[in-house]
């Protein structure tokens, strides 16, 4: 259909509009790829964050990652039946705007056409009933034969009778420059700054954020909105929980957004999360998606769930994109999320008061456990909202041979104990196999780390009594004697000249049904010393256990890119860890169910405000 733009803005209904999302033409920083926001073809245009000036013959399209409105998400999870588009324009000739939509299969159709003449404001309404199965809507602009200026393009609806307060809580540990950059991004965007009633920074580091250049300036901008809190290091779980506790104590009716310190923040995401939360019929956890910091047009996962049978998190949900280039790919079908990572995630106060606080796990799986608990205990859904995102360091840049593995295995077992039947036999076999693979891959410190995590799970909920502070110190100390846990510069690898090493890429992977047979053979060959002698280099993408185990000594690049690790065959360590692995498998089968009962009984105490207050004030 054709519509002629009005010369003054006319809200379609109600008195107070709620902006669901602004149509932005550029990112928050100059180095952000502007094509994630709008694309320009057939001419030229000058763009700012909220405006665009196009020459004759230019086409502007917002069929982009940040430009699309996820209509299926609004239609499925909110009370909205329609959304409104509004913008102002100036043109020296003929111009028009076209609203388009997609269906669940990605097929595109025209929704409305607005003829633009002179100067004024344009409005149009899009019904959402056609998007129940999937699809998005967006707007495009064409300067037919004159110059065209577009400003303040907004998708909106009628606001609820009362908008609740919104706040951000940032947990930080020795990343002061990153934290100041995140605060600066929030403060730099006026609508975002005005939307937030508080910004809590929980600093647990030894390099204080308050001493960082730029903090005083951003503190002055945020003024009384900023609450800066110092406390002992209780990990991400403790930092975020302190932010939750402070926010709830100050404002009982609030939408609290948890946010990592080291993201590149898109402040528009705060507005989109809070707007979506404002129009859901029941309180929901509303999460942002994650774009890769090192590959900034690529999406991590569109929606995630955790498989508690295998202790694997970050599984991509049905219909969700994963590791996708958002310059070319689109997600048209809605995806159900089992939880959302706390890189940026909105928790309504009703969820917090209904569930109480997170478990004192230090870090790893604390956000996953909380999301699963919300769904299982209070039937609270999680939605991961397309077009609401921040940039976060690529997970592929984190090596799993790290103290974090202790918390990952221990906390995943606790989560499985609380929220699943805990298939002890299957889990014990799976973990035994994984640890054995680490041993034959000459990752003895990693095998020890995983064994310690399982042992401490079996020790029961008392292990969480100090919030994890002792565990993080102890696991670092225990890993230190294992030489392959050390990352060396390429120019200083002990006993070898890395650049001169022969490179050994992997051959064909064994068939899955023969993994256990191959694993047993590799272990026997290693213990007998029937391996290739000398030191070789193996590319990190080829460092599979079944390949590394063929050699006496290997150098493998660390996933972080910071250097390399030297793995050396050690039959004494292999025998000791192998025997310990066998004993622990038996222990797990006999003791895991008892531990499960203990964790379930202790959860109300562990997640209580009284317990957390004790942890916050204990040096």
């Amino acid at each position: 259909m054709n519509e002629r733009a009005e010369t003054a803005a006319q809200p379609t209904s109600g008195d107070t509009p709620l902006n669901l999302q602004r149509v932005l033409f550029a990112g928050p920083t100059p180095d952000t790829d502007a094509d994630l926001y709008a694309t320009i073809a057939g001419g030229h245009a000058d763009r700012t964050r909220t405006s665009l000036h196009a020459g004759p013959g230019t086409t502007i399209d917002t069929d982009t990652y940040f430009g699309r409105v996820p209509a299926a998400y609004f239609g499925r999870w909110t009370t909205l039946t329609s959304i409104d588009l509004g913008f102002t324009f100036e043109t020296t000739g003929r111009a028009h705007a076209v609203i388009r939509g997609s269906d669940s299969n990605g097929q595109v159709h025209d929704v409305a056409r607005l003829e633009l003449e002179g100067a004024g404001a344009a409005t149009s309404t899009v019904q959402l009933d056609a998007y129940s199965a999937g699809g998005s809507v967006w707007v495009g602009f064409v300067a037919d034969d004159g110059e065209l200026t577009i400003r303040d393009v907004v998708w909106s609806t009628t606001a609820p009778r009362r908008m609740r307060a919104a706040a951000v809580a940032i947990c930080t540990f020795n990343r002061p420059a990153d934290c100041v950059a995140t605060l600066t991004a929030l403060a730099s965007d006026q609508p975002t700054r005005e939307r937030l009633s508080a910004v809590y920074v929980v600093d647990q580091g030894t390099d204080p954020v308050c001493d960082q250049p730029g903090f005083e300036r951003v503190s002055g901008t945020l003024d009384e909105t900023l609450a800066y809190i110092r406390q002992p290091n209780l990990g991400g779980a403790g930092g975020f929980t302190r932010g939750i506790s402070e926010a709830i104590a100050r404002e009982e009716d609030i939408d609290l957004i948890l946010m990592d310190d080291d993201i590149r923040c898109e402040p528009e995401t705060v507005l989109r999360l809070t707007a979506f939360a404002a129009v859901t019929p029941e309180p929901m956890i509303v999460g942002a998606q994650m774009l890769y910091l090192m590959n900034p047009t690529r999406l991590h996962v569109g929606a995630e769930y955790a498989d508690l049978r295998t202790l694997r998190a970050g599984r991509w949900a049905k219909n969700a994109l994963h590791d996708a280039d958002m310059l070319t790919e689109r997600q048209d079908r809605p995806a159900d999320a089992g939880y959302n990572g706390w890189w940026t995630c909105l928790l309504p106060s009703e969820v917090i008061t209904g569930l109480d606080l997170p478990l004192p796990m230090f870090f790893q799986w604390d956000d996953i456990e909380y999301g699963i608990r919300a769904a299982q205990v209070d039937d609270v859904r999680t939605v991961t909202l397309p077009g609401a995102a921040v940039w976060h360091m690529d997970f592929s840049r984190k090596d799993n041979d790290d103290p974090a593995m202790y918390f990952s295995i221990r906390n995943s077992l606790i989560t499985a104990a609380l929220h699943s039947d805990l298939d002890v036999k299957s889990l014990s076999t799976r973990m035994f196999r994984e640890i054995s693979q680490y041993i034959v891959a000459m990752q003895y410190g990693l095998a020890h780390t995983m064994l310690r995590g399982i042992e401490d799970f079996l020790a029961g909920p008392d292990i969480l009594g100090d919030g994890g502070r002792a565990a993080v110190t102890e696991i670092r100390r225990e890993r230190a004697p294992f030489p392959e846990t050390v990352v060396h510069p390429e120019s200083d690898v002990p006993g070898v000249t890395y650049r001169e090493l022969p490179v050994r890429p992997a051959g064909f992977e064994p068939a899955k049904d023969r993994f256990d047979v191959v694993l047993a053979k590799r272990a026997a060959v290693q213990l007998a010393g029937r391996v290739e002698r000398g030191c070789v280099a193996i590319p990190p993408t080829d460092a599979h256990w079944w390949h590394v185990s063929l050699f006496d000594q290997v150098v493998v690049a660390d996933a972080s890119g910071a250097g390399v690790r030297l793995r050396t065959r050690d039959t004494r360590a292999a025998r000791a860890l192998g025997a310990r692995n066998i004993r622990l498998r038996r222990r797990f089968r006999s003791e895991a169910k008892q531990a499960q009962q203990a964790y379930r009984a202790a959860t109300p105490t562990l997640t209580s405000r009284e317990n957390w207050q004790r942890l916050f004030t204990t040096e």
Side-chain angles (χ1 to χ4, degrees), residues 9 23 84-88 121-124 141 151-156:
V23 175
D84 304 321
L85 174 70
F87 59 91
T88 60
T123 61
S124 186
F141 303 96
R151 293 188 181 90
D152 302 323
V153 187
V154 176
W155 292 95
S156 66

Side-chain angles (χ1 to χ4, degrees), residues 413-528:
L413 283 168
I414 293 172
T415 303
L418 293 175
H419 304 299
S420 77
D421 292 335
L422 198 68
D423 186 341
V424 172
K425 184 177 180 180
S426 175
L427 280 174
S428 65
T429 299
R430 178 178 294 275
M431 292 186 296
F432 175 84
R433 182 184 294 119
E434 188 171 342
I435 293 167
S436 298
Q437 291 171 359
Y438 292 147
I439 294 171
V440 301
M442 298 179 284
Q443 292 180 291
Y444 306 116
L446 181 55
H448 168 80
T449 304
M450 191 167 175
L451 288 164
R452 279 283 276 119
I454 301 168
E455 290 164 350
D456 280 359
F457 163 75
L458 294 176
D462 287 349
I463 199 69
L464 304 179
D466 70 344
R469 280 183 285 185
V472 73
T473 301
E474 290 169 4
I475 198 63
R476 290 183 185 278
R477 175 181 55 80
E478 293 173 13
R479 283 171 51 85
F482 296 98
E484 81 283 351
T485 64
V486 178
V487 179
H488 303 280
E490 291 183 2
S491 59
D492 190 25
V493 183
V496 300
T497 303
Y498 177 62
R499 299 287 185 186
E500 297 178 0
L501 293 177
V503 178
R504 295 287 192 268
F508 292 107
E509 181 178 359
K512 297 292 184 184
D513 60 357
R514 288 187 51 80
F515 262 27
D516 288 348
V517 174
V518 174
L519 180 60
K521 288 183 177 180
R522 291 290 194 273
V525 165
Q526 279 197 328
L527 292 175

Side-chain angles (χ1 to χ4, degrees), residues 87 148 168 180 255 295 302 337 514 536:
F87 59 91
L148 172 65
V168 165
V180 168
D255 285 330
N295 299 278
R514 288 187 51 80
V536 301

